[in-house]
Amino acid sequence: TPLPIGDGALLLRGFALGVDDALLEAVDAVSAEAPARRLCTPGGHRMSVETTSCGRWGWVSDAAGYRYAECDPVSGRAWPAMPEPLRRIAVAAAARAGHAHFDPDTCLINRYAPGARMGLHQDRNEHDFSQPIVSVSLGLPIVFQFGGLQRSDRPQRVPLAHGDVLVWGGPTRLAFHGVLTLKAGIHPLTGASRINLTFRRAR
Ligand code: MD3
Ligand code: FE
């Protein structure tokens, strides 16, 4: 049963469980063409998460800033196309949350090893904030932090497990969010890692 966790945010526990193998196979195919890498923030810090993308646009970060790019800066080539199983789960989750026409043009793939984390931030690189964001958690569990519209708002902590899907729309689209440090563990499908898929309409 969908759990509202904020104004416009919906947690669909286990929504991706029936297609987890297909999603991970697609992630492997994308990673073979565009290997995940640790990006540098504009402030000069190396992110602890390994990142790659598929779809028309890919999210990148370097000394020049955060942005979407049509080419993978490592290979100089276009990002891999978004595999159908990925697109399908994102569109289905968005529809379940009331967004009937979600058409993602990018999927960011974040791979967390034990010790990796993501600090509180807003997602503001997209052009149309009325479009939702869909995120799918695979592999090891993690504690998600869901804050308010001000960085100073105290975040709620929400544990996320393999197969959980979140849809962010409405006012929560611009909420501060992040994840706490991944704890050590072994998941039968992903080994010592958590993989998060984030689907967005960039342009
Ligand atoms: C809430 N990734 O890549 S996914 C990111 O687990 C990012 O890898 C985290 O935040 C991860 O930008 C969290 C859940 C998520 C994604 C986007 C959101 C939550 C969000 C946008 C607005 C509000
Ligand atoms: Fe984010």
Side-chain angles (χ1 to χ4, degrees):
T1 63
L3 181 66
I5 63 164
D7 190 1
L10 208 61
L11 172 53
L12 303 168
R13 289 256 185 233
F15 191 79
L17 282 178
V19 293
D20 54 358
D21 285 309
L23 297 179
L24 288 166
E25 197 175 302
V27 166
D28 284 347
V30 168
S31 307
E33 272 189 70
R37 75 298 301 258
R38 289 173 62 193
L39 297 172
C40 284
T41 66
H45 296 281
R46 220 166 154 227
M47 294 177 71
S48 56
V49 172
E50 288 188 306
T51 292
T52 187
S53 287
C54 59
R56 165 104 193 253
W57 298 96
W59 186 84
V60 297
S61 171
D62 59 22
Y66 303 120
R67 64 192 175 278
Y68 286 97
E70 283 191 281
C71 287
D72 175 353
V74 171
S75 68
R77 290 177 298 155
W79 297 99
M82 193 183 300
E84 269 315 302
L86 264 56
R87 170 180 303 279
R88 275 200 297 267
I89 192 78
V91 169
R96 184 74 187 76
H99 300 274
H101 304 290
F102 184 50
D103 182 15
D105 58 7
T106 178
C107 172
L108 176 69
I109 300 171
N110 285 148
R111 188 183 289 274
Y112 294 76
R117 60 185 288 276
M118 190 173 290
L120 278 183
H121 65 278
Q122 291 171 297
D123 289 15
R124 308 198 57 124
N125 292 119
E126 301 75 29
H127 285 186
D128 180 358
F129 297 143
S130 74
Q131 292 287 324
I133 292 179
V134 174
S135 84
V136 178
S137 291
L138 296 168
L140 291 176
I142 207 162
V143 178
F144 178 70
Q145 286 189 294
F146 170 51
L149 294 178
Q150 314 279 330
R151 184 179 290 280
S152 56
D153 294 336
R154 174 201 281 274
Q156 297 180 57
R157 291 181 174 192
V158 182
L160 293 180
H162 177 77
D164 288 350
V165 178
L166 282 155
V167 183
W168 306 91
T172 60
R173 172 64 183 75
L174 287 170
F176 279 88
H177 60 278
V179 298
L180 300 184
T181 304
L182 186 73
K183 293 198 172 136
I186 301 290
H187 187 276
L189 297 184
T190 64
S193 66
R194 167 180 187 257
I195 294 169
N196 186 82
L197 312 176
T198 308
F199 297 88
R200 304 185 177 89
R201 184 77 194 186
R203 300 288 170 100

